[in-house]
Amino acid sequence: MNVALIGLEGHQSAMLEGIVQLHDVQLVAVASDNPDKLQAVKRSPAVTGDTWLYADWRELLEQHDLDVVGVCTVNGERAPVLLECARRGVHILSEKPLVTTLEDLATVRAAIEGAGVRLSMLMTMRFEPAFKKMHDLLRQGTIGEPVAASAQKSYKLGDRPEWMRDRATFGGVIPFVGIHALDLVRWTTGCEFTEVAAWHSNVAHPEIRDMEDNASVLLRMANGGTATLRIDYLRPTMAPTHGDDRLRVAGSEGVLEVLGDDRRLTLMTHDQGPYAVAPDPEEQFFVEFVRSLRGECAHRISAADAYRLTEICLQARAAADEGRIVSLAPVREHPSR
Amino acid sequence: MNVALIGLEGHQSAMLEGIVQLHDVQLVAVASDNPDKLQAVKRSPAVTGDTWLYADWRELLEQHDLDVVGVCTVNGERAPVLLECARRGVHILSEKPLVTTLEDLATVRAAIEGAGVRLSMLMTMRFEPAFKKMHDLLRQGTIGEPVAASAQKSYKLGDRPEWMRDRATFGGVIPFVGIHALDLVRWTTGCEFTEVAAWHSNVAHPEIRDMEDNASVLLRMANGGTATLRIDYLRPTMAPTHGDDRLRVAGSEGVLEVLGDDRRLTLMTHDQGPYAVAPDPEEQFFVEFVRSLRGECAHRISAADAYRLTEICLQARAAADEGRIVSLAPVREHPSR
């Protein structure tokens, strides 16, 4: 299986780490217009003496016959890459969000569906053992009907590249970071959303310009329940970890929660006080994706997920930009539940 | 000082416990139309052989010359009691929310301001040491400008009285419980709010009828920051405590948080990793209120707070009922900051 990677701006490590576990998958080529990143990627064990490096992604696609392309470009420059991959009939593993405008989403979706290629998106948190275990317990009905959910993503700001400081290239923290929080709630509960309200702003960090340092999102669930997403780049420099990721779902029969720097999963029900649940070992993201391409399993993140998550985040961003509640279109495909 | 208590449906213990600490304050009378509660209150050390008991609050007010009345009635029946207290020139310590409609709020406010009586509201969480310490640290600028805040109130449902199951007598979980979460964010940060969106619903508990089992509230802060409130009655029976109350504020220079069954306050800044901050001993609620009446201090919860908190909660409830964003009126009095 011939694999290429276009862009080195995101979660490409999930792909690179998988490739080295797959003896019949080759990283044929990598493209990045960032010379430093292209130089640095040579240190990855997935990059061999047979791997071609390109500054221009169009040249990469022209030169190689590929089965899969990972697209980890700058957010605002992803749409043309996705369209070209679809046109060439190559399966796609995309960074999130898929694109940064609803217009691009419609165009890209039509192209990918028309081409019949497979699409998944790098929602890597679904492969973190605590969240996966929480998903499994929720879907088994361990806490009954999900009623109220909340997720937090709090990151250290650190140094941010120039492309994140412009809305046109970045897209906003709700599509970029909030999409993880949204996905955690939607995926673990299996609940769809019907309406969204949100606000975002940059209160304390003028140096990052368009990039928001905080966002809060309010969602109405299809079953009538409610959810909130909290996103900030305010995690202190001295915090023990980069991200303070949390997920709490309160259901009719109990509460499940991932909380703390050790990402501890706690279950509490009407029958039993709180106790820590040990997660199961998880498969590697890209290894599962390749297995799904071979028909051995479904991948954890479907194309429908990629479209819907991107859509909701872009609608939430519109809600925040315009100060209004946005009704979400009914889903074409429901998440399995 | 002659004190009476009308209604035994809420936080009257904050008043009763204070009275026994004040040798020159007498509980002259108690009124409740609930015979069981009136019987039970006799066990309070604040109730002496000289304390009169009434089924009818109007008769109580008619019979006694009072300095202060605590009003802990059913939420929807508070307005006429407040109006009568104001008319008689008696200082008021009210259960929260002050009233359950914006019309009643305007009427009661005009009456209290016209009468020149003092008003405070039983926002008892301001006297919990961890939250008070968090307030002090925030107001000292320990974490810089508050940017993103969130508060959680999760309660066990237990047995709920009939009056909570009707909107007319209860008012809704946002005014009843959410008001605490709102107050914690507003009081600790000193930030006012400009807009609110919310949803609430009863997903899993038809037996409590109108009473919502969950609510989520999204607020825009005057400085551009964002806040969320999460309220639910989904805390499992087997949870170690009745309430899982949390407050997190992320600022430009750090994060302050109260979290856990032990209500631990944690501070983290750009200069120092997370560490627990010991709270200070707190004064008793009613003792401070009496001192404020004597001009010895300001009470922690002003009349302006009582009006504003009630107003925001009723507007948040309207936002939830009607599925719209509500702009909040600019404040007449700003919280001290």
Side-chain angles (χ1 to χ4, degrees):
Chain A
M1 187 175 284
N2 290 331
V3 174
L5 179 57
I6 293 177
L8 296 165
E9 305 295 334
H11 293 80
Q12 59 275 354
S13 63
M15 196 164 170
L16 295 170
E17 289 163 12
I19 288 170
V20 297
Q21 296 181 32
L22 294 159
H23 66 89
D24 50 356
V25 171
Q26 304 81 39
L27 182 63
V28 172
V30 179
S32 170
D33 58 6
N34 183 321
D36 293 340
K37 295 202 172 186
L38 204 56
Q39 187 63 30
V41 80
K42 290 183 188 173
R43 290 197 296 271
S44 165
V47 176
T48 71
D50 294 328
T51 305
W52 292 75
L53 302 182
Y54 295 89
D56 180 351
W57 62 268
R58 292 180 191 277
E59 190 182 348
L60 180 152
L61 289 179
E62 192 63 45
Q63 294 295 328
H64 300 277
D65 188 21
L66 299 166
D67 299 296
V68 178
V69 171
V71 185
C72 298
T73 61
V74 164
N75 296 341
E77 299 168 0
R78 197 137 51 234
V81 184
L82 298 174
L83 290 172
E84 185 62 18
C85 289
R87 195 182 70 80
R88 291 175 178 270
V90 181
H91 301 308
I92 298 166
L93 180 57
S94 173
E95 186 52 76
K96 47 74 198 168
L98 196 60
V99 291
T100 57
T101 69
L102 288 167
E103 296 70 26
D104 280 350
L105 179 59
T107 307
V108 163
R109 179 173 189 159
I112 290 174
E113 290 182 344
V117 298
R118 299 282 286 273
L119 169 72
S120 189
M121 197 160 68
L122 282 154
M123 306 309 303
T124 49
M125 295 188 78
R126 289 198 190 185
F127 286 75
E128 293 187 28
F131 294 114
K132 173 57 162 56
K133 186 71 180 183
M134 183 159 162
H135 161 274
D136 294 346
L137 292 172
L138 265 158
R139 296 303 187 94
Q140 289 161 19
T142 308
I143 62 165
E145 180 73 16
V147 177
S150 66
Q152 174 183 295
K153 296 283 294 177
S154 174
Y155 282 148
K156 294 182 186 180
L157 183 58
D159 285 327
R160 293 289 153 179
E162 187 61 23
W163 68 266
M164 287 193 183
R165 303 175 193 218
D166 268 298
R167 169 64 75 89
T169 43
F170 179 54
V173 296
I174 293 176
F176 187 63
V177 181
I179 198 168
H180 280 303
L182 173 75
D183 184 50
L184 286 178
V185 172
R186 179 178 173 272
W187 173 61
T188 61
T189 63
C191 292
E192 264 301 339
F193 303 108
T194 58
E195 290 178 274
V196 63
W199 280 302
H200 56 191
S201 61
N202 181 344
V203 173
H205 299 87
E207 72 278 13
I208 53 171
R209 301 200 310 270
D210 292 357
M211 187 178 169
E212 302 90 354
D213 63 9
N214 80 103
S216 294
V217 180
L218 173 69
L219 291 148
R220 192 175 196 180
M221 305 202 296
N223 71 356
T226 60
T228 53
L229 314 178
R230 313 184 304 277
I231 305 115
D232 72 69
Y233 273 105
L234 301 163
R235 188 152 166 82
T237 314
M238 291 295 288
T241 59
H242 175 59
D244 183 3
D245 300 335
R246 308 179 184 186
L247 177 64
R248 177 180 182 270
V249 178
S252 56
E253 310 298 330
V255 172
L256 271 164
E257 179 160 30
V258 174
L259 177 69
D261 293 329
D262 57 351
R263 307 258 165 116
R264 176 179 294 231
L265 174 62
T266 303
L267 171 63
M268 188 170 27
T269 68
H270 291 313
D271 300 322
Q272 186 158 10
Y275 64 99
V277 181
D280 304 315
E282 276 310 310
E283 190 153 27
Q284 204 280 333
F285 187 103
F286 189 68
V287 170
E288 189 186 279
F289 182 65
V290 168
R291 288 211 300 121
S292 77
L293 294 179
R294 290 173 171 155
E296 297 169 17
C297 66
H299 190 62
R300 215 165 290 191
I301 301 106
S302 69
D305 287 334
Y307 300 132
R308 182 65 174 175
L309 292 170
T310 301
E311 175 195 356
I312 297 174
C313 283
L314 295 177
Q315 293 287 23
R317 186 186 68 183
D321 283 342
E322 298 161 26
R324 63 187 176 93
I325 290 171
V326 176
S327 289
L328 299 168
V331 278
R332 285 205 249 175
E333 298 86 357
H334 284 273
S336 62
R337 190 177 165 205
Chain B
M1 186 176 283
N2 290 332
V3 174
L5 179 56
I6 293 177
L8 296 165
E9 304 295 334
H11 293 81
Q12 59 275 354
S13 63
M15 196 165 171
L16 295 170
E17 289 163 12
I19 288 171
V20 298
Q21 296 181 33
L22 294 160
H23 66 89
D24 50 355
V25 171
Q26 304 81 39
L27 182 63
V28 172
V30 179
S32 170
D33 57 6
N34 183 321
D36 294 340
K37 295 203 171 185
L38 204 55
Q39 187 63 30
V41 80
K42 290 183 186 172
R43 290 196 297 270
S44 166
V47 177
T48 70
D50 294 328
T51 306
W52 292 75
L53 302 182
Y54 295 88
D56 180 351
W57 62 268
R58 291 180 191 276
E59 190 182 349
L60 180 153
L61 290 178
E62 192 63 44
Q63 295 295 328
H64 299 277
D65 188 22
L66 299 166
D67 299 296
V68 178
V69 171
V71 184
C72 298
T73 61
V74 165
N75 296 342
E77 299 169 0
R78 197 137 50 234
V81 184
L82 299 174
L83 290 173
E84 186 62 18
C85 289
R87 195 181 71 79
R88 291 174 178 272
V90 181
H91 301 308
I92 298 165
L93 180 57
S94 173
E95 186 53 76
K96 46 76 196 166
L98 197 60
V99 291
T100 57
T101 69
L102 289 167
E103 296 70 26
D104 280 350
L105 179 59
T107 307
V108 163
R109 179 173 189 160
I112 290 174
E113 290 182 344
V117 298
R118 300 281 286 274
L119 169 72
S120 188
M121 197 161 67
L122 282 154
M123 306 309 304
T124 50
M125 295 188 78
R126 289 198 190 184
F127 287 75
E128 293 187 28
F131 294 113
K132 173 57 162 55
K133 186 71 179 182
M134 183 158 163
H135 162 274
D136 294 346
L137 292 172
L138 265 158
R139 296 302 187 94
Q140 289 161 19
T142 308
I143 62 165
E145 180 73 16
V147 176
S150 66
Q152 174 184 294
K153 295 283 294 178
S154 174
Y155 282 149
K156 295 182 186 180
L157 183 58
D159 284 328
R160 293 289 153 179
E162 186 61 22
W163 68 267
M164 287 194 183
R165 304 176 192 216
D166 268 298
R167 169 64 74 90
T169 43
F170 180 54
V173 296
I174 294 176
F176 187 63
V177 181
I179 198 168
H180 279 303
L182 173 75
D183 184 50
L184 287 178
V185 172
R186 180 177 173 273
W187 173 61
T188 60
T189 63
C191 292
E192 264 301 340
F193 303 108
T194 58
E195 289 178 276
V196 63
W199 281 301
H200 56 191
S201 61
N202 180 343
V203 173
H205 299 87
E207 71 279 13
I208 53 170
R209 302 200 309 270
D210 292 357
M211 186 178 170
E212 302 90 354
D213 63 10
N214 80 102
S216 294
V217 180
L218 173 69
L219 291 148
R220 191 175 196 181
M221 305 202 297
N223 71 356
T226 60
T228 53
L229 314 178
R230 313 184 304 278
I231 305 116
D232 72 69
Y233 273 105
L234 301 163
R235 188 151 166 82
T237 314
M238 292 295 288
T241 59
H242 175 59
D244 183 2
D245 300 334
R246 308 179 184 186
L247 176 64
R248 177 180 182 270
V249 178
S252 56
E253 309 298 329
V255 172
L256 271 165
E257 179 160 30
V258 175
L259 177 70
D261 293 328
D262 57 351
R263 307 258 165 115
R264 176 178 293 230
L265 173 62
T266 303
L267 170 64
M268 189 170 25
T269 69
H270 291 314
D271 300 322
Q272 186 157 10
Y275 64 99
V277 181
D280 304 314
E282 276 310 310
E283 190 154 27
Q284 204 280 333
F285 188 103
F286 189 68
V287 170
E288 189 186 279
F289 181 66
V290 169
R291 287 210 301 120
S292 76
L293 293 179
R294 290 173 171 154
E296 296 169 17
C297 66
H299 190 62
R300 214 165 290 193
I301 301 106
S302 69
D305 287 334
Y307 300 132
R308 182 65 173 175
L309 292 169
T310 301
E311 175 194 357
I312 297 174
C313 283
L314 295 177
Q315 293 287 22
R317 185 187 67 184
D321 283 342
E322 298 160 26
R324 63 187 176 92
I325 290 171
V326 176
S327 290
L328 299 167
V331 278
R332 285 205 248 174
E333 298 86 357
H334 284 273
S336 63
R337 191 179 165 202

